[in-house]
Amino acid sequence: MRVPLSWLHDHVRPDCSVEQLAETLTLGGLVVDAIRRPTAGVRGVVVSRVERVDRVPGSDKLSLVEVFDGRERHEIVCGASNFSAGDLVPAALPGATLPGPDPASPVEIGRKRLLGVVSDGMLASARELGVGDDHRGIWVLGDAPLGADLAEWLDLDDPVLDLDINPDRGYALSILGVARDVAALTGAPLRLPDAEPLPPVDTGVAVSVQDLRHCPRFSVTRVDGVTVGPSPAWLQRRLAAAGMRPISNVVDATNHAMLETGHPAHAYDLTRLAGPRIEVRHARDAERVVTLDGEERVLAATDLVIADAEGAVGLAGVMGGARTEVDERTRDVLVEVAAFEPAAVLRTARRLRLFTEASTRFEKTVPAQTVAFGAGRCAALVARLAGGRVAAATDAWPAPEQRQVIRLRPDRVRRHLGMELPDERQASLLGSIDCAVAAQPDGTLAVTPPDYRPDLRIEVDLDEEIARLHGYDKVPERVPSSGRVGGRRAEHRARRRVREALAGGGWSEIVAFPFVGPADLDALGLAADDPRRRAVALVNPLSREESLLRTTMLPGLLHALRRNVNRQATDLALFEVGAVYLRPTADEPGADGGPPWESQPPTLPAEPLMLAVAACGHFVPPRHDEAGRAVDVYDLLGAVDLARRAVGLAPLEAVATAEAPYHPGRAARLRLDGADVGVVGELHPRVVSLLDLPVRTLAGEVRLDRLTAGGVRLAAAVEPSPLPPLRFDVAVVVDADVPAAAVEAAVRAGAGTRVSACDLFDVYTGPSIGAGRKSLAYRLRLDDPQRALTEADQREAIEGVHRAVAEAVGGALRR
Amino acid sequence: MTTTPGTADLPDLDALRERGARAYAGASTLDELDDVKAELVGRRGALTAVQRLLGSLDPALRREVGARVNAVRAALAGAEAQRRAALEAERDRVVLAAEALDVTLPPRTPRRGSLHPITETMEAMVDVLAGLGFTAVTGPEVETDWFNFQAMNIPHDHPARGMHDTIYVESLVDADPPGSILLRTHTSPMQTRTMLVQPPPVYIAVPGRVFRQETADATHLPVFHQMESLAVDAGLSFADLRGTLAELCRGLFGPDARIRMRPDHYPFTEPSADVDAWVPAVGDWVELLGSGMVHPNVLRMAGYDPEQVSGFAFGMGVERVAMLRHGIDDLRLFADNDVRFLSAL
């Protein structure tokens, strides 16, 4: 909503600067986005009379115009020809300025020579003056005083407040609504225009409203004998400042009335209205109407239309139709002012993507109670500007709704707002916006909101008005005492520790959009029946390439990796914590879809939380004194190990796996207490190449929800033995394909319960142990807090290892 | 024939001491020092020879000469120690100087990782709210229309739906009508989810991801994050909301930050307030969050009695707070995941 200050001043004139006014309005709930002066650049433009129009010799288009500015005559070259001798026009004489494209730097006009003729400045169009966008010719000023400074006469320095109006404050989409708030917030006196009574004569137009719910009130007013022509300059200037295009006196009058009262109004050419009758009804299927903007609209049954005997003549509350448009031949007009239900208008506006000044107001509720006021103001202005006579009116309002009285408990208001506001203060604040307030014997206040505030319906609505008018800045600061300890839940704490451990271990956290497309899943080489293919689809995705909710974190993570690689990063280790979205199963249902009392709530996907990692290049970057080391699968296993250690879990069990999208010999599936938690590994070379990733890129994802389900587990302390340990090495020779984990398990089991450390320090393959064999060497440490260990204990342990590896993994000790 | 040597046969001990002390002082290396020591007190050393003679002296003379020999031995030991210390210090100086390292070479640290500013900012918000007695909870990102809109006092056809450009999700079972599930447009559904399963009092903070059907630009992202908070208890007021927000603001932007409230409109709160923060680092008021007293319809929807309890709620954009905290002016950086950006924070 654009509010020219001069227009606001017609109704309220607060004693403050425009900047202070903007601040007051903003803090009062009508946010002023900007204060603009769209026409402030106009200087030295004089209302001048055209005396003579001659051709410029040698030109078809240019004329030499002699104008009189009240004191002297000037000759000005002009390309337009929409005026004749006697017309008053704006003459920008040498030294004058016009706003130009940037209002901050006006354009200066000079004396120019064109085709051998000297032009003493220029004649200006409305657009050149910043008044509207009409550039078809010179702005012909109807009733201007000859010789007047145009800027002074039209108040072109007038600041315009640009207001951003919330959906509940539809009343502020009008000058009067804003003026009422200005008066209430500043205490300045309010001057409301008088209501224009409508004649008690019926229009003779049969009005039939078929959907009272969507159109509770519909009024038409007949203005006979108008002469359609341009509006006076002041009105054109005012409408332009308010953001509307001046069209003709009749249309401009309806727009002026709408801006003033907030009631959208529409003028029909009465003679073009078939019947004449008007129906307010739902559109017939595939019914068509050409709207005022020249577009043919195909209607749907949900659209509410205004129709005459021949069919639709307009979209209710959105836009009128071309067939009944007012033009120069129009003599009698019918002015419509009505109340449409917000949802009905919004539905049509949205469906057709046709948001107009009218629909914007209706979607924020236009009260039915004030329709007659709006109609009266509008009809009177049409008659005044276009020279007609308000002849008759029809007002269809079969079920007038009276405003409900709201019972306000001042005590509750004080408690709810936490402010000391005496009853009288509450009453006077509500009175300042025209609520009728009556104290009741039981201590409550009976509050009847004014007709212009349909948003005030229940008691808490008045809380906001009281707080706002008193001043939100006067609300004291108090901190509630919850009476309980807040904080993070166990799994949230665990999640946070995991993220911090990963970051501490050299991994960079990313946050990706959780969408994937079929192409992403193809690139991973997932089989047709892979469960990750059963992704949940979006109905209206951001793009076709990202039409699914992710079932795997890898596409987003790998996309981020590649983007960094494209930007010349070489050594990357990324991780992400986030949900995947899986079709629910009995084991893993989604969240509840509705309240307990709903029998069949919608089904939601399960959203298990994942930890995903991806890396390429060096994990240890080379330095001047070290070669560096490329990332490998053990770094990814290490990342998962950091995570499980952060939450106090025992080491996960790793098992070799051959599955998409991984290298068949370089991936591990991980288990926690027998339950699967995920996979990490080197990506399959084909996936690497399809996704255009660096060679040997690695990735993986694990179920963080399963790792953190128990929160952070506390480890039991181990008391260090005071006695010296036994330390010795064993080397085990096994077949090359025996997993190291199985060998270690056998070594530990064989060495007995005293084992306190068992570290693999060498893996050897070579001729000395035979082809297809490998040797794993472990450094063992045995501790016994009860007694000093002897060589006999060591022999016994080694024998134990010997037996255990032979039995469990077919291995032999290398002696 | 053996004779008992007399003092005249003994070497001049004073001269020996003088000579020895000079020799020690003149040693220029530790090896030379050791040679001198051997000459004086080694197995064949001059002083050792004197000592060997002592046994053949008569007791009175032995005592006298023994005392003198000991004195010379002590003096020589002192001279040796002094010279040895000097020579060792010199050796150390040379050797350690040769071992010097350039300590301005880069330090050796484990590989550098980082936390994303969005998750870190959410944790910072939870830190403040946890201190005020709020518990952090999270909810599903795919929501039902009922929780996302209806329970928040936004029925079908409500104009506020126009401001929530919703991304809808296909129905998972045939029985669910189209449009019944969607990507949550705000974290507010957790208000109702929590109230449905828990009697008052409720003090929750809900960090999480939300979605809007929007094109990404410097000030919009289709996927972003919010921190929702809800308190419902007997006697909570607008003043409690203001105090909580002021604390939160100071916790996020420093002790000199302060807030300003303006009336605004949300279907699920009444009164509603937009909150501007004075952020010292910015030096201006910036729009921070939307808030208000929980609408009685929302309380009723969750089975609470608005006559018994009242509450406040607020929701803030995490990206916005992160931008203000780190001086970021383009939202897209958060979704870009450039490690140069991430590791600088």
Side-chain angles (χ1 to χ4, degrees):
Chain A
M1 175 74 190
R2 293 187 191 170
V3 178
L5 188 66
S6 62
W7 196 347
L8 191 66
H9 280 174
D10 286 355
H11 304 290
V12 65
R13 189 182 278 271
D15 185 16
C16 64
S17 71
V18 64
E19 287 77 17
Q20 284 168 325
L21 176 63
E23 170 102 354
T24 301
L25 282 172
T26 297
L27 294 179
L30 307 184
V31 177
V32 178
D33 277 342
I35 303 170
R36 294 185 297 153
R37 290 177 169 82
T39 50
V42 178
R43 286 278 177 279
V45 177
V46 181
V47 177
S48 307
R49 189 175 59 222
V50 176
E51 300 292 310
R52 215 178 61 237
V53 184
D54 293 327
R55 272 281 156 74
V56 171
S59 165
D60 298 346
K61 294 196 179 131
L62 297 181
S63 331
L64 186 62
V65 185
E66 186 184 300
V67 297
F68 176 60
D69 71 2
R71 281 172 305 169
E72 45 187 331
R73 289 165 194 275
H74 307 272
E75 285 195 329
I76 296 176
V77 176
C78 178
S81 56
N82 65 316
F83 52 88
S84 47
D87 282 345
L88 291 172
V89 293
L93 302 172
T97 63
L98 296 179
D102 173 15
S105 50
V107 179
E108 188 172 329
I109 305 303
R111 184 172 279 116
K112 246 194 242 167
R113 177 179 286 274
L114 285 155
L115 294 177
V117 185
V118 174
S119 180
D120 231 5
M122 65 179 274
L123 303 181
S125 69
R127 189 163 82 189
E128 282 159 342
L129 291 162
V131 182
D133 60 0
D134 193 343
H135 196 50
R136 288 168 301 181
I138 299 309
W139 193 19
V140 178
L141 308 163
D143 53 352
L146 176 64
D149 180 274
L150 190 78
E152 212 168 286
W153 176 57
L154 285 178
D155 203 1
L156 293 180
D157 283 346
D158 193 18
V160 178
L161 300 171
D162 211 339
L163 296 181
D164 184 12
I165 301 301
N166 285 321
D168 62 331
R169 300 198 180 273
Y171 69 88
L173 291 172
S174 67
I175 299 292
L176 291 179
V178 175
R180 284 173 184 274
D181 263 12
V182 169
L185 290 165
T186 63
L190 177 70
R191 289 183 302 277
L192 292 176
D194 293 332
E196 306 273 358
L198 292 168
V201 182
D202 191 85
T203 52
V205 177
V207 172
S208 136
V209 178
Q210 294 176 8
D211 183 345
L212 275 178
R213 191 163 71 81
H214 289 131
C215 176
R217 189 172 185 181
F218 191 90
S219 85
V220 286
T221 307
R222 218 175 75 202
V223 185
D224 291 348
V226 300
T227 307
V228 178
S231 296
W234 68 266
L235 178 57
Q236 294 193 37
R237 198 290 291 181
R238 182 176 262 191
L239 288 179
M244 297 198 74
R245 191 161 59 94
I247 293 169
S248 68
N249 49 10
V250 171
V251 175
D252 294 352
T254 61
N255 285 335
H256 187 276
M258 172 183 72
L259 293 171
E260 180 190 76
T261 65
H263 279 282
H266 180 69
Y268 300 88
D269 183 327
L270 184 54
T271 55
R272 297 178 193 182
L273 204 60
R277 76 191 170 93
I278 283 184
E279 273 183 352
V280 183
R281 60 164 168 81
H282 285 275
R284 309 210 160 88
D285 216 17
E287 188 171 1
R288 283 154 198 270
V289 64
V290 177
T291 43
L292 280 175
D293 53 6
E295 296 283 322
E296 187 184 51
R297 311 278 176 178
V298 182
L299 305 178
T302 51
D303 297 326
L304 200 63
V305 297
I306 314 299
D308 66 4
E310 288 171 12
V313 293
L315 297 167
V318 180
M319 190 178 272
R323 178 156 63 82
T324 53
E325 187 178 1
V326 169
D327 64 19
E328 295 76 18
R329 291 164 298 171
T330 302
R331 286 292 163 266
D332 300 336
V333 301
L334 197 63
V335 176
E336 167 204 311
V337 174
F340 298 110
E341 204 246 341
V345 174
L346 186 59
R347 200 160 39 224
T348 298
R350 259 203 218 142
R351 194 180 67 73
L352 297 172
R353 293 180 194 282
L354 187 59
F355 296 94
T356 60
E357 293 281 345
S359 76
T360 305
R361 285 172 175 76
F362 282 117
E363 76 172 58
K364 292 180 178 170
T365 308
V366 170
Q369 288 83 355
T370 52
V371 159
F373 176 78
R377 292 290 299 166
C378 184
L381 190 60
V382 170
R384 191 151 64 244
L385 293 175
R389 186 177 64 88
V390 182
T394 302
D395 185 1
W397 193 21
E401 190 198 346
Q402 291 309 309
R403 287 311 302 264
Q404 294 293 310
V405 177
I406 301 172
R407 191 173 71 103
L408 183 76
R409 293 163 290 175
D411 264 340
R412 199 203 52 82
V413 171
R414 282 185 283 270
R415 271 201 317 277
H416 203 54
L417 296 180
M419 284 198 274
E420 283 309 316
L421 284 167
D423 294 16
E424 305 73 47
R425 175 75 176 147
Q426 296 185 30
S428 77
L429 288 169
L430 291 171
S432 75
I433 53 165
D434 261 5
C435 288
V437 184
Q440 302 296 296
D442 63 358
T444 64
L445 300 174
V447 180
T448 312
D451 287 337
Y452 79 96
R453 293 296 304 270
D455 57 309
L456 303 179
R457 300 186 157 275
I458 59 174
E459 197 180 7
V460 289
D461 294 337
L462 301 178
D463 291 3
E464 177 165 296
E465 288 307 297
I466 291 168
R468 156 182 103 96
L469 296 166
H470 184 62
Y472 270 24
D473 55 336
K474 300 198 183 79
V475 177
E477 283 184 15
R478 211 160 60 199
V479 177
S481 152
S482 74
R484 55 180 61 192
V485 176
R488 294 171 174 83
R489 290 184 174 166
E491 68 275 11
H492 186 164
R493 271 202 306 279
R495 249 186 349 255
R496 188 184 198 191
R497 299 232 346 202
V498 166
R499 292 178 39 250
E500 284 173 349
L502 266 289
W507 297 82
S508 290
E509 186 181 31
I510 68 144
V511 178
F513 288 1
F515 308 128
V516 297
D520 295 312
L521 302 176
D522 291 342
L524 293 180
L526 304 187
D529 61 348
D530 189 297
R532 284 167 289 185
R533 290 268 188 195
R534 299 189 58 232
V536 176
L538 301 172
V539 174
N540 53 335
L542 296 173
S543 73
R544 242 182 317 174
E545 295 73 40
E546 299 193 314
S547 59
L548 307 171
L549 285 169
R550 68 184 174 197
T551 51
T552 160
M553 307 279 287
L554 297 188
L557 202 53
L558 294 173
H559 181 74
L561 188 101
R562 188 177 56 223
R563 190 189 329 223
N564 277 288
V565 168
N566 289 346
R567 294 174 186 173
Q568 312 301 318
T570 51
D571 306 328
L572 292 162
L574 307 180
F575 79 99
E576 181 176 15
V577 169
V580 293
Y581 311 82
L582 308 178
R583 289 178 189 278
T585 62
D587 290 343
E588 276 199 272
D592 291 337
W597 59 83
E598 205 159 295
S599 57
Q600 273 197 314
T603 303
L604 289 174
E607 298 184 18
L609 202 64
M610 308 296 288
L611 164 65
V613 289
C616 65
H618 286 93
F619 193 75
V620 179
R623 301 174 29 109
H624 63 95
D625 54 354
E626 270 174 335
R629 184 177 59 69
V631 65
D632 62 24
V633 75
Y634 305 107
D635 291 309
L636 269 76
L637 287 164
V640 178
D641 204 51
L642 284 174
R644 73 87 195 156
R645 275 206 307 228
V647 296
L649 289 173
L652 303 180
E653 185 192 348
V655 184
T657 182
E659 59 182 278
Y662 301 100
H663 185 306
R666 294 190 170 187
R669 203 156 252 292
L670 296 163
R671 293 197 192 122
L672 169 67
D673 299 331
D676 186 72
V677 292
V679 189
V680 297
E682 195 174 304
L683 290 174
H684 197 290
R686 210 169 45 236
V687 174
V688 167
S689 119
L690 272 174
L691 290 175
D692 196 18
L693 295 167
V695 289
R696 301 223 182 271
T697 293
L698 298 107
E701 54 189 327
V702 296
R703 292 279 301 246
L704 188 59
D705 57 333
R706 291 189 183 150
L707 296 183
T708 57
V712 178
R713 286 161 215 242
L714 295 179
V718 175
E719 198 175 325
S721 167
L723 299 173
L726 210 51
R727 294 159 157 285
F728 56 95
D729 299 344
V730 294
V732 182
V733 178
V734 290
D735 284 346
D737 60 357
V738 175
V743 178
E744 181 181 324
V747 170
R748 280 177 176 272
T753 55
R754 294 196 186 101
V755 175
S756 58
C758 174
D759 299 320
L760 177 69
F761 67 89
D762 188 42
V763 178
Y764 172 76
T765 55
S768 65
I769 53 170
R773 306 275 280 170
K774 65 181 173 189
S775 163
L776 305 174
Y778 295 90
R779 178 149 299 150
L780 283 162
R781 177 183 160 125
L782 271 51
D783 271 302
D784 189 331
Q786 309 299 327
R787 65 176 177 85
L789 296 172
T790 63
E791 269 186 43
D793 295 312
Q794 180 169 337
R795 277 195 303 277
E796 190 189 318
I798 290 175
E799 275 318 303
V801 171
H802 175 69
R803 282 193 303 276
V805 296
E807 193 173 313
V809 293
L813 282 192
R814 204 176 161 204
R815 310 218 197 205
Chain B
M1 196 180 86
T2 53
T3 57
T4 300
T7 49
D9 298 320
L10 294 171
D12 181 345
L13 284 171
D14 288 340
L16 184 61
R17 192 186 62 209
E18 284 300 310
R19 184 164 55 83
R22 260 197 317 277
Y24 274 135
S28 59
T29 67
L30 284 165
D31 285 346
E32 278 181 39
L33 189 74
D34 285 340
D35 290 347
V36 172
K37 186 176 181 181
E39 279 168 28
L40 291 171
V41 296
R43 201 190 300 256
R44 294 180 212 287
L47 194 60
T48 314
V50 177
Q51 218 162 349
R52 224 175 263 136
L53 285 177
L54 283 181
S56 57
L57 296 185
D58 68 62
L61 192 57
R62 190 190 310 159
R63 224 178 352 265
E64 185 206 328
V65 175
R68 285 183 58 208
V69 167
N70 282 342
V72 171
R73 174 181 292 279
L76 289 176
E80 181 214 345
Q82 195 184 347
R83 186 60 188 155
R84 184 174 294 281
L87 287 172
E88 279 179 355
E90 174 62 12
R91 178 200 61 189
D92 288 354
R93 195 186 63 73
V94 172
V95 169
L96 296 185
E99 286 177 359
L101 295 179
D102 180 355
V103 296
T104 65
L105 283 168
R108 182 179 289 120
T109 55
R111 191 195 158 76
R112 175 176 186 154
S114 54
L115 292 169
H116 196 282
I118 292 306
T119 56
E120 270 310 273
T121 302
M122 287 197 286
E123 295 294 351
M125 293 174 174
V126 170
D127 282 340
V128 180
L129 291 170
L132 292 172
F134 289 74
T135 298
V137 295
T138 54
E141 293 171 13
V142 183
E143 260 298 0
T144 58
D145 186 273
W146 193 86
F147 277 114
N148 195 75
F149 289 125
Q150 297 173 50
M152 297 317 294
N153 208 24
I154 312 176
H156 293 287
D157 290 335
H158 192 284
R161 288 204 177 200
M163 302 194 299
H164 292 234
D165 295 312
T166 309
I167 301 178
Y168 285 92
V169 177
E170 64 165 331
S171 300
L172 299 183
V173 295
D174 290 343
D176 295 347
S180 53
I181 69 174
L182 44 86
L183 297 181
R184 65 177 176 190
T185 59
H186 48 184
T187 39
S188 309
M190 266 314 274
Q191 292 189 15
T192 313
R193 285 189 176 276
T194 305
M195 288 191 283
L196 278 175
V197 298
Q198 180 188 328
V202 167
Y203 288 86
I204 55 165
V206 191
R209 171 151 45 198
V210 299
F211 304 83
R212 302 275 169 94
Q213 173 62 266
E214 273 184 334
T215 307
D217 62 29
T219 54
H220 296 86
L221 281 180
V223 181
F224 56 103
H225 298 77
Q226 282 186 345
M227 170 67 75
E228 181 87 9
S229 198
L230 169 75
V232 182
D233 206 342
L236 285 182
S237 73
F238 210 40
D240 292 300
L241 168 63
R242 192 189 175 103
T244 301
L245 292 173
E247 279 305 326
L248 180 60
C249 189
R250 285 191 284 268
L252 293 173
F253 302 115
D256 296 331
R258 54 188 200 276
I259 61 163
R260 174 175 90 172
M261 293 170 95
R262 289 181 284 108
D264 200 346
H265 174 72
Y266 300 99
F268 33 90
T269 50
E270 190 76 40
S272 304
D274 245 13
V275 177
D276 298 334
W278 178 270
V279 178
V282 177
D284 198 0
W285 290 105
V286 291
E287 221 176 309
L288 190 63
L289 59 87
S291 68
M293 299 302 290
V294 181
H295 198 285
N297 289 354
V298 174
L299 294 174
R300 272 188 219 107
M301 200 83 79
Y304 287 12
D305 179 357
E307 291 298 318
Q308 300 299 316
V309 292
S310 55
F312 61 79
F314 56 88
M316 64 204 298
V318 178
E319 278 80 357
R320 175 139 189 84
V321 173
M323 286 169 106
L324 293 169
R325 275 159 63 91
H326 296 289
I328 297 163
D329 55 12
D330 190 331
L331 261 182
R332 285 167 295 194
L333 282 169
F334 293 117
D336 190 48
N337 291 313
D338 190 311
V339 289
R340 293 167 298 179
F341 168 76
L342 296 175
S343 58
L345 295 176

